Amino acid sequence: RFLQYRGPFAKRRHPLVDSSVVSEIRRCLEEGIEFQGELLNFRKDGSPLMNKLRLTPIYGDDGIITHVIGIQFFTEVNIDLGPVPGSSIKESMKSSTRSAFRPGVVGDRNVYRGFCGILQLSDEVLSLKILSRLTPRDIASVGSVCRRLYDLTKNEDLWLMVCQNAWGYETTRVLETVPGAKRLGWGRLARELTTLEAAAWRKLTVGGAVEPSRCNFSACAVGNRVVLFGGEGVNMQPMNDTFVLDLNSSNPEWQHVQVSSPPPGRWGHTLSCVNGSHLVVFGGCGRQGLLNDVFVLDLDAKPPTWREISGLAPPLPRSWHSSCTLDGTKLIVSGGCADSGVLLSDTFLLDLSMEKPVWREIPVAWTPPSRLGHTLSVYGGRKILMFGGLAKSGPLRFRSSDVFTMDLSEEEPCWRCVTGSGMPGAGNPGGVAPPPRLDHVAVSLPGGRILIFGGSVAGLHSASQLYLLDPTDEKPTWRILN
């Protein structure tokens, strides 16, 4: 194809190249027959030549084409085509290089003035083909280069494309529903979510109540709503009610949602959001002991109804495990506590989009130490991060601050121990790594960063600090978010 374009700046085939010959080449290749013909081509400097081309298919023993042999014979052709398009620009760049980039003295400073080829592109090409593929940090830097790039980087449509490419369409779709997001604009959102410079705690006054009082419940976010299910009531009473707090409301208040066919009461379970408004509950401890059942609820259905999913080959019944969702359809469960207090280290996946879902254990050559009370977070599309928990170490159990990751897009996924500044085994035991903990919360932020807060922390350490980690960095580094 490149031999049919004249000059490095050409954007289409030269008009003197016979398109019927090109079509004949394509037809012969598709039909698996030999081609012989001549085609006008061009050298790198734009001078013309005639290409006598022969393409011959090679068949295997089974009669199927395995290769095509191409033989080219170039001859000179006497055609006056004039100067190569764009050559004047190229020559002017060459001739002006020495003078254009020669320092001139202004006061006591050396000033360099030169010709930047990228600025010869149109605003549309710059925005759609180059700037939109950069990260938010890069866009902010580019905007300081010159006035034209500064003006381009103020375009909200460009920032929307940058955010979609950096964070994914699902994340930006959710952000569009956040109150005040449209008022801030995508440029401001990208800045604040990248630097977190404006992050601040804000105490909400909410009405209603979650009654009766409880602990060891599970909660998750569904858009701008917080959903709470189950928990351990007075005298270890397993609960199975559902409450919703709508943060979009001007006066948010807890509401007890009347649902049909609720799961058996439980505590120490997990509650995750899948596919927009759907919730999935797994495991926990109920009246009859540990559970390994799965229930799904569409919060926006009229009326909302819990539905049990009978997954084949389920994992062991457990509580205090961790779970997350992938691709909006897959539930991942890891670790937890089985019968007789045995800690687990397995990882299972259940595809809820299947008509008859089947649990599948993810086979790995090595697993992190078995644990409970840890967290699983999704980042970078199909990667998961495990943090903390009460981990087994020989006959003992200790709070952990370990970080492990797994890429589920690999053919053979495996757990990897993450190290870096302030990480375990990084030669920097002080650092700013979170104190070991369990029963904390982890939140995935746009761009793949993980936020850790709270939990059960030993000694004099405070659990009120926010810790941030970017596992996509070459050497991930914990930092405290002030």
Side-chain angles (χ1 to χ4, degrees), residues 176-188:
E176 286 178 325
T177 65
V178 175
K182 291 183 178 180
R183 175 178 51 82
L184 288 177
W186 288 107
R188 177 75 178 274

Side-chain angles (χ1 to χ4, degrees), residues 222-241:
V222 180
N224 291 311
R225 293 172 291 183
V226 179
V227 182
L228 183 152
F229 173 76
E232 179 184 353
V234 179
N235 298 322
M236 300 182 68
Q237 174 75 18
M239 317 291 287
N240 70 341
D241 42 7

Side-chain angles (χ1 to χ4, degrees), residues 112 171 192 200 252 313 323 422 429 437 449 474 480:
Y112 289 81
T171 299
E192 293 195 359
S323 71
R437 63 190 64 204
R449 295 163 300 167
E474 184 178 356
I480 296 176

Side-chain angles (χ1 to χ4, degrees), residues 110-121:
N110 285 339
V111 178
Y112 289 81
R113 300 185 182 275
F115 178 86
C116 182
I118 195 174
L119 294 180
Q120 300 306 301
L121 301 174

Side-chain angles (χ1 to χ4, degrees), residues 208-212 214 228 240-245 253-259:
V210 177
E211 295 290 351
R214 68 198 64 202
L228 183 152
N240 70 341
D241 42 7
T242 305
F243 292 84
V244 175
L245 177 67
E253 61 179 27
W254 284 106
Q255 293 184 341
H256 182 205
V257 180
Q258 299 295 330
V259 295

Side-chain angles (χ1 to χ4, degrees), residues 18-31:
D18 193 344
S19 59
S20 63
V21 178
V22 178
S23 300
E24 181 66 9
I25 294 175
R26 185 176 294 111
R27 184 187 70 83
C28 291
L29 289 173
E30 290 174 351
E31 296 179 6

